[in-house]
Amino acid sequence: MLVLNDDQVMLQDAARGFVSEKAPVAALRKIRDEKIADGFDRGLWRSMAEMGWTGVLVPEDQGGLGFGFVGAGVICEEMGRTLTASPFLSTAMMAATALSRAGSPAQKERWLPAIVAGEAVIATAVDEGRRHDPAGTAMRAERHGNGFRLSGTKAYVVDGQAADAVLVAARTAGSAGETGGFSLFLVETATRGLSAERLSTLDSRGAAELTFDGVEVTADAVVGEVDDGFPLLEIVLGAGRAGLAAELSGNAQESFDRTMAYLRERKQFGRTIGAFQALQHRAAHLFCEVEVARSAVLAALQALDADPAGASLAVSVAKSKASSVARLAAQEAVQMHGGIGMTDAIDIGLFMKRMQVASTLYGDADFHADRVARARGF
Amino acid sequence: MLVLNDDQVMLQDAARGFVSEKAPVAALRKIRDEKIADGFDRGLWRSMAEMGWTGVLVPEDQGGLGFGFVGAGVICEEMGRTLTASPFLSTAMMAATALSRAGSPAQKERWLPAIVAGEAVIATAVDEGRRHDPAGTAMRAERHGNGFRLSGTKAYVVDGQAADAVLVAARTAGSAGETGGFSLFLVETATRGLSAERLSTLDSRGAAELTFDGVEVTADAVVGEVDDGFPLLEIVLGAGRAGLAAELSGNAQESFDRTMAYLRERKQFGRTIGAFQALQHRAAHLFCEVEVARSAVLAALQALDADPAGASLAVSVAKSKASSVARLAAQEAVQMHGGIGMTDAIDIGLFMKRMQVASTLYGDADFHADRVARARGF
Amino acid sequence: MDALEAFRRETRAWLDANCPAEMRTPVSGDDDICWGGRNFVFKSEAQKVWLARMAERGWTVPGWPKAYGGGGLSHEEVKVLKEEMRAIGARSPLESFGIWMLGPALLAFGSEEQKQEHLPRIARGEIRWCQGYSEPNAGSDLASLQTRAEDAGDHFVVTGSKIWTSYADKADMIFCLVRTDFSAPKHLGISFLLFDMTWPGVSTKPILLISGKSPFCETFFDGVKVPKANLVGTLNRGWDIAKYLLTHEREMIGGGGGGLLGGRSPGQVAAQEIGTDGEGKLADAFLRADVARAEVDALAFAATMARYKDEAASGGKGVGDRSAVLKYYGTELNKRRHELLMRTAGHEGLEWEGARSNDGERPRGWLRTKANSIEGGTSEVMLDIVAKRLLQLPNA
Amino acid sequence: MDALEAFRRETRAWLDANCPAEMRTPVSGDDDICWGGRNFVFKSEAQKVWLARMAERGWTVPGWPKAYGGGGLSHEEVKVLKEEMRAIGARSPLESFGIWMLGPALLAFGSEEQKQEHLPRIARGEIRWCQGYSEPNAGSDLASLQTRAEDAGDHFVVTGSKIWTSYADKADMIFCLVRTDFSAPKHLGISFLLFDMTWPGVSTKPILLISGKSPFCETFFDGVKVPKANLVGTLNRGWDIAKYLLTHEREMIGGGGGGLLGGRSPGQVAAQEIGTDGEGKLADAFLRADVARAEVDALAFAATMARYKDEAASGGKGVGDRSAVLKYYGTELNKRRHELLMRTAGHEGLEWEGARSNDGERPRGWLRTKANSIEGGTSEVMLDIVAKRLLQLPNA
């Protein structure tokens, strides 16, 4: 059934109430204007932990809520509506997925309770260039004694500027372009040789470029299988992509709703501009697109809950569609607001900025359309 | 100056008068309903010869008018407005270009006066498969005594069903995909081993699939250089592409004009449908597109007159743009006409059918966008 | 084992025993469809037997009440029946506008006598119905229809003409919107009548489309006498029935998207027809970008149809005005699908007649889809519905 | 040698002798532009000398009459001057709203006194003007403006506020639309006033855009006294001047497309930044399809700008309402161009501050273009103009 169940509806209501009270768009402006280096409010993150959100993808037997991907997506969607900045995607979705599925007992013990408690932020570092290209990973992890030595640079690591540890994809074999030879490592950011350059970003949340300059780790740092880490990386990225798709759906819905409110209120040429049929038809078309994106997102989240390794088609459909629809929604929102939409005085521009970041991360609309085509045989 | 000069304006007026009187859309219906095998009316073609159109691209010293490509395009545009069926494109544009530029004295003497007199129809045969792909030509012309033996099949040869001779591109060297090794031959259709299967087509004009079964020709049949015929072929195709672009521009303008007339007249929900702003904005957008396509076509025709070998960027811009704009115009025309637009009782559907043919021939919108990209370095 | 599972087993066994082998082969064209009606000529004994057996159980209209010739099945049971039929490739025993349109209308608005008279005959395939809605000058503004039914005591006298009446030349009866009050506001003077296509004054003429022959007709009424008993619902309130059926039809067109989106996607067709490169990618890079995006949209739209259906099922309400979303989006997608198929076909898509093009199947299919966004309510009307009813944007 | 050729030689020689070397280097940003005005600080001696030399010949406004400080050149001569300046890479000596907007308005509508007073000072770069048109509550419906100018005998008292006044914080004077009659239909109660930004009651506040800092300001008038001699044209007929200038502005925005379409195309940028494959094709196939189509449209649009200009030149009329075509199409293309540049940039386009992104030059540029289809008349207003005036479609 492509509908939320009762528990999920309750979670949605709770999430909506929480973000509108604790993390309205004004909270993002505060992070921006006060130049908070973490890119999020740690107090808010602790409150999210109290709500249980940090454990949404951690199984109950490991101290989490085990709400699954639909639950996580519902939270992302609501955060998308208020542009809530938090390490939810990096930590509660991607890192929690990696560790709860493939972490060693020691890794789980060390990190899962800390994630659930809202005390640890863990970033995932994959891309090395301007485009998302996991298979293109070139960074090497050379064997070194019993462990590995990591060298290379990771571009635009989400929450890398605030992370306690980084899940990093590197090559223990093979070369850029191949999907074999991947290994994932969990490296504490305080490790010698690892440095982070904070990036000031369009969405005010920041990110980091991480440089690994001969960073030495023991074999215990490996998450999952040495040389065969790509399938796990795909699942972790799947979590990130679905989370972003859900957030983009929320982003699109909210900028759409605000635009409809404006159309019902603003007067020009002696009438409410929402009465102009040309705008009505564009609004109606956009509504259809927003509806279609929502469905694709729900289908992807359910597919992830059913089988994370088999959900990649559904996830790519969702990320592609949500990215392009959120873009259209942002464009129409600015245009229909007219001049005021161009000013920093209202929030519409902030939705456009975050849309650009979320649609670019972990594969843009075309990256995922390409994956859909491959999955469908052409 | 991107405007017609006085002579060209006079030619345009004359052409418009001629086609609206002698070759209105009803004339095409007659060809269709009476299943005229040539796909055009030979009487009309003789009248065009009397107008001098057949010699529009034949230099004055060879018995033509030498009006150039702008003149030829003006005629194509007007024929596009009434869906005039004639061998103007194949014979007066493509064959005349090939022969007047690269024909031997004997070929010129044999064919140019016949073209000008409206007594000869000459088709050009290039493509061999479903897509336009001149470099992909595989057909062989083996050396055989002093001459050549041609074997292979040519798909969708415009006016091939009615032609007296065919200008055919074949390989005397190289293989499919290469641009070297081309030679062009002018072969009379009565030659032994050459057979034509008439195709019934969407636009009711017909076409032919030509089979060359060991057709023997002498060296005198070669037009231009042996093994180095590709540049000439490109010029001949450039003439065809520009002619089709001009026709598509006329097609788009006419279906647009008819649609505007309908919008100003048809009433629904108590008002003229042209008063609905959603339709007004679509109409206005379409008008802009039609205007932009017109400009691109004129620029291409002028570029051909200036330097046929250097016009390929301008021609591809025109063919790509005119193809996509005529498609949009046809789609909007049917949709805005509603149910009646779907019926054979009115002409709108005939414009859509011819648009499909003309936009496909000698490269569709994307084929030419690809060429534009290459020419611009990406 | 729950009752539904028991029903499934029973159904499977019955279908296995009763569905003729020939009726388990795919339908190859309009010719293979059983439309029923007085003059219907069965294509085979198997087709006739299959209709008779299914009709006997009421399974031509499995969800209708048994009292009117239906199967009396629950929503879940109907779903099971369809699943089991699909599992063995069983053809539909009967298609008709009676099943799709008139039946639901009579169940909602008809008198007991009308239900008794018409529904069982629809269920058994005895009467073939056509629909008399559109008129040449009404178009999208259906309520402005001008076909008049004059009150003549115990009967009406119907004069006017209808357009887009599918299979009117093959139908036995018509359900028809007529104007019974010219002085009332246009929505309040319309009535819903049933009458026989063989009655004096009725004539039909097929419509030639840009895609070629079509099942559509123009239908003319010249003083047709229709008994007042053939009025469905209340006099002058036929618009309520029309609206009910229009919403129902939109849901079918948009939501029965199997038909719109069925079969191979344009990308898959293109890969087969044009070929792929060494990496398995469609060899035409520009086309590939567009078919890939179309695939994303088609899959996302399929999820939307499923979501709306599931929401309707779990919420206990129909899809309602959101059927306009499905109708608009589904038909626009289908037009795009056929544009992509034409690009794929290239020169081969330009052939109109002849064996190798199957008489121009591809270009005719392409042209035919241009009507998708016109018939059953234009895309413009759908967008108006979305803007006004779902988004509550103000009137001009 | 004809006169024009003689003019060309003479001009070339003069430019060569008089344009300082530094003024032949490309402008690297807003800072390098000479705007003139009372408080303008020249960036270099060369900039000052260049302005002085050009102003002396009237070549800051070469087409204006000599009597008002212009060069008195013909249309063809102006073209030659521009060609020769381009040939040596000479910078424009002076940019200003006085040159672009107020000058043409005064030439068409001003009194002789007003022309004498203002035009030479514009030409010499002594006074910097800004434009007071838009208001917060007027938007696209400019004629509904509410800034009032009360008649107080020999002067008006102006109260209200303007928005989108570019460089109002740097300008010396403003040309401003005000309402002088509240009882008349909205287009018939507007007047066109000139006044000094230093007069009591005028204040400005910069506007922060989504792309960051901007030259735009809000400008407030609190009982500003403006002598009646500063009224341009007829009282209450300022809308005629406004319309004239709006059309003029649209032509500049759409037709001066050099600015919109200048530099490398998105496809060329992408090829350089992302790289090409063995065949020289942009390595991202999906992006390539889109930049290729954008290239087609950009080249076809460039031909349209040229055609309209040539038609206007040969027909002796201006571009007229077709300026709406240029404004609409050019600005939508420019937005698309920047969307493609953002796709090309990927992660690198997400950086907002810092040296390596040149303080987010690309995303700020992208965001800034979103205003292109709003400022100077929205795309919706342009489409209305096309529909109503060029296509003669009826009013609702």
Side-chain angles (χ1 to χ4, degrees), chain D residues 21-61:
Chain D
E22 191 190 318
M23 292 296 105
R24 304 184 189 196
T25 60
V27 169
S28 72
D30 211 41
D31 270 6
D32 281 351
I33 295 172
C34 177
W35 289 97
R38 292 176 196 142
N39 305 309
F40 187 71
V41 178
F42 288 99
K43 215 185 167 189
S44 68
E45 188 58 24
Q47 191 183 44
K48 191 173 175 181
V49 165
W50 180 226
L51 172 60
R53 288 180 183 164
M54 287 289 276
E56 199 190 339
R57 288 179 85 85
W59 283 7
T60 51
V61 285

Side-chain angles (χ1 to χ4, degrees), chain B residues 1-3 264 271 274-275 277 280-281 284-285 287 289 291-292 295 317 321 366 369-370 373-374 376 378, chain D residues 267-268 271 281 288 292-293 295 297 300 303-304 307-308 310-311 328-329 380 383-384 388 391 394-396:
Chain B
M1 290 288 280
L2 269 172
V3 287
R264 289 186 205 101
R271 52 174 159 157
Q277 196 200 28
Q280 289 187 342
H281 279 204
H285 171 76
F287 174 77
E289 292 286 7
E291 282 289 287
V292 168
S295 318
V317 169
K321 190 66 190 167
D366 279 349
D370 177 83
R374 282 166 193 257
R376 299 281 283 172
F378 55 90
Chain D
Q268 290 167 332
K281 292 187 198 172
R288 184 169 183 269
R293 292 164 186 160
E295 192 83 5
D297 289 349
T304 306
R307 175 164 72 89
Y308 279 14
D310 288 346
E311 285 177 4
Y328 166 69
Y329 210 91
E380 291 75 19
L383 292 172
D384 277 338
K388 299 276 169 54
L391 303 181
N395 286 314

Side-chain angles (χ1 to χ4, degrees), chain D residues 10-244:
Chain D
E10 201 180 300
T11 301
R12 189 176 301 170
W14 187 88
L15 287 171
D16 193 47
N18 287 281
C19 182
E22 191 190 318
M23 292 296 105
R24 304 184 189 196
T25 60
V27 169
S28 72
D30 211 41
D31 270 6
D32 281 351
I33 295 172
C34 177
W35 289 97
R38 292 176 196 142
N39 305 309
F40 187 71
V41 178
F42 288 99
K43 215 185 167 189
S44 68
E45 188 58 24
Q47 191 183 44
K48 191 173 175 181
V49 165
W50 180 226
L51 172 60
R53 288 180 183 164
M54 287 289 276
E56 199 190 339
R57 288 179 85 85
W59 283 7
T60 51
V61 285
W64 291 9
K66 284 193 172 179
Y68 308 129
L73 303 190
S74 70
H75 185 76
E76 288 72 24
E77 287 169 334
V78 170
K79 215 171 139 187
V80 166
L81 172 60
K82 289 196 175 154
E83 284 164 5
E84 293 302 320
M85 285 176 68
R86 213 176 300 125
I88 61 164
R91 292 187 188 174
S92 166
L94 180 65
E95 300 284 346
S96 85
F97 286 89
I99 295 176
W100 304 328
M101 309 292 291
L102 179 62
L106 288 179
L107 284 168
F109 297 91
S111 66
E112 186 55 32
E113 292 71 25
Q114 288 166 336
K115 291 179 197 172
Q116 293 284 2
E117 180 182 357
H118 298 295
L119 295 177
R121 294 202 277 168
I122 291 170
R124 292 193 300 266
E126 291 169 5
I127 294 292
R128 183 168 181 178
W129 287 85
C130 67
Q131 163 180 303
Y133 268 38
S134 301
E135 297 188 6
N137 290 313
S140 289
D141 185 11
L142 177 60
S144 70
L145 61 91
Q146 296 296 314
T147 291
R148 59 173 65 221
E150 307 275 359
D151 189 329
D154 63 345
H155 64 276
F156 296 103
V157 177
V158 178
T159 302
S161 70
K162 293 288 175 181
I163 197 169
W164 308 121
T165 41
S166 304
Y167 300 109
D169 51 346
K170 299 197 169 75
D172 304 311
M173 294 193 71
I174 188 166
F175 52 98
C176 195
L177 294 174
V178 296
R179 185 160 301 283
T180 36
D181 184 347
F182 275 82
S183 60
K186 64 182 180 180
H187 294 89
L188 298 177
I190 293 171
S191 300
F192 193 95
L193 291 185
L194 312 176
F195 51 94
D196 203 296
M197 293 295 280
T198 62
W199 287 353
V202 180
S203 61
T204 68
K205 190 175 115 187
I207 295 172
L208 187 63
L209 289 186
I210 60 177
S211 47
K213 284 188 196 140
S214 80
F216 295 116
C217 296
E218 283 183 273
T219 302
F220 307 93
F221 310 128
D222 182 12
V224 184
K225 285 190 189 171
V226 179
K228 284 197 171 166
N230 288 27
L231 171 72
V232 179
T234 310
L235 185 71
N236 292 328
R237 298 308 299 260
W239 187 247
D240 295 342
I241 310 178
K243 268 197 307 185
Y244 172 83

Side-chain angles (χ1 to χ4, degrees), chain B residues 193-204:
Chain B
L194 173 51
S195 58
E197 183 192 350
R198 187 182 187 282
L199 306 176
S200 157
T201 65
L202 190 51
D203 61 353
S204 306

Side-chain angles (χ1 to χ4, degrees), chain B residues 31-114:
Chain B
I31 288 165
R32 178 185 75 173
D33 297 341
E34 298 181 3
K35 294 185 183 297
I36 292 172
D38 283 335
F40 62 89
D41 174 345
R42 291 206 178 248
L44 179 73
W45 182 231
R46 278 189 298 272
S47 306
M48 289 181 177
E50 285 159 23
M51 298 285 289
W53 294 3
T54 45
V56 72
L57 282 177
V58 176
E60 290 176 80
D61 59 12
Q62 292 168 36
L65 291 180
F67 254 27
F69 285 101
V70 173
V74 158
I75 294 171
C76 288
E77 191 178 334
E78 295 307 321
M79 295 200 298
R81 281 184 167 272
T82 60
L83 301 175
T84 306
S86 89
F88 184 82
L89 186 83
S90 63
T91 303
M93 289 191 76
M94 297 173 73
T97 294
L99 289 168
S100 64
R101 275 175 191 275
S104 66
Q107 286 167 338
K108 288 184 181 174
E109 196 177 332
R110 164 74 184 86
W111 293 107
L112 287 179

Side-chain angles (χ1 to χ4, degrees), chain C residues 58-278:
Chain C
W59 283 7
T60 51
V61 284
W64 290 9
K66 284 193 173 178
Y68 306 130
L73 303 190
S74 70
H75 185 77
E76 287 74 23
E77 285 168 338
V78 170
K79 213 171 142 186
V80 166
L81 172 61
K82 290 197 173 153
E83 284 166 7
E84 293 302 319
M85 286 176 68
R86 210 176 302 127
I88 63 166
R91 293 187 189 174
S92 166
L94 181 65
E95 299 285 349
S96 86
F97 287 89
I99 294 176
W100 303 328
M101 307 293 290
L102 180 62
L106 287 179
L107 285 168
F109 296 91
S111 68
E112 185 55 32
E113 291 71 26
Q114 288 168 335
K115 292 180 197 173
Q116 293 284 0
E117 182 183 352
H118 298 294
L119 295 177
R121 295 203 277 169
I122 290 169
R124 292 193 299 266
E126 290 169 7
I127 294 293
R128 182 169 182 177
W129 288 85
C130 66
Q131 165 180 300
Y133 268 39
S134 300
E135 297 187 6
N137 290 313
S140 288
D141 186 11
L142 177 59
S144 68
L145 60 91
Q146 297 296 316
T147 292
R148 58 173 64 223
E150 307 273 359
D151 190 328
D154 62 346
H155 64 274
F156 296 103
V157 176
V158 178
T159 301
S161 69
K162 293 288 177 182
I163 198 169
W164 308 120
T165 42
S166 306
Y167 299 109
D169 51 345
K170 299 196 168 77
D172 304 310
M173 297 191 70
I174 189 168
F175 53 97
C176 197
L177 293 175
V178 295
R179 184 159 303 283
T180 38
D181 185 346
F182 274 81
S183 60
K186 65 182 179 180
H187 293 90
L188 298 176
I190 292 170
S191 300
F192 193 97
L193 291 185
L194 311 176
F195 52 94
D196 203 298
M197 294 293 282
T198 61
W199 287 353
V202 180
S203 61
T204 68
K205 190 175 117 190
I207 295 173
L208 187 63
L209 290 186
I210 60 177
S211 48
K213 283 188 197 141
S214 81
F216 295 115
C217 296
E218 282 184 274
T219 302
F220 306 93
F221 310 128
D222 181 12
V224 184
K225 284 189 189 173
V226 179
K228 287 201 168 162
N230 288 27
L231 171 73
V232 179
T234 310
L235 185 71
N236 292 328
R237 298 309 299 259
W239 186 247
D240 296 341
I241 310 178
K243 268 198 308 184
Y244 173 83
L245 284 182
L246 286 173
T247 305
H248 183 74
E249 186 182 11
R250 279 206 301 274
E251 286 188 42
M252 288 204 325
I253 294 174
L260 289 177
L261 298 176
R264 292 173 306 156
S265 69
Q268 290 166 334
V269 171
Q272 187 169 62
E273 294 187 0
I274 294 173
T276 53
D277 66 11

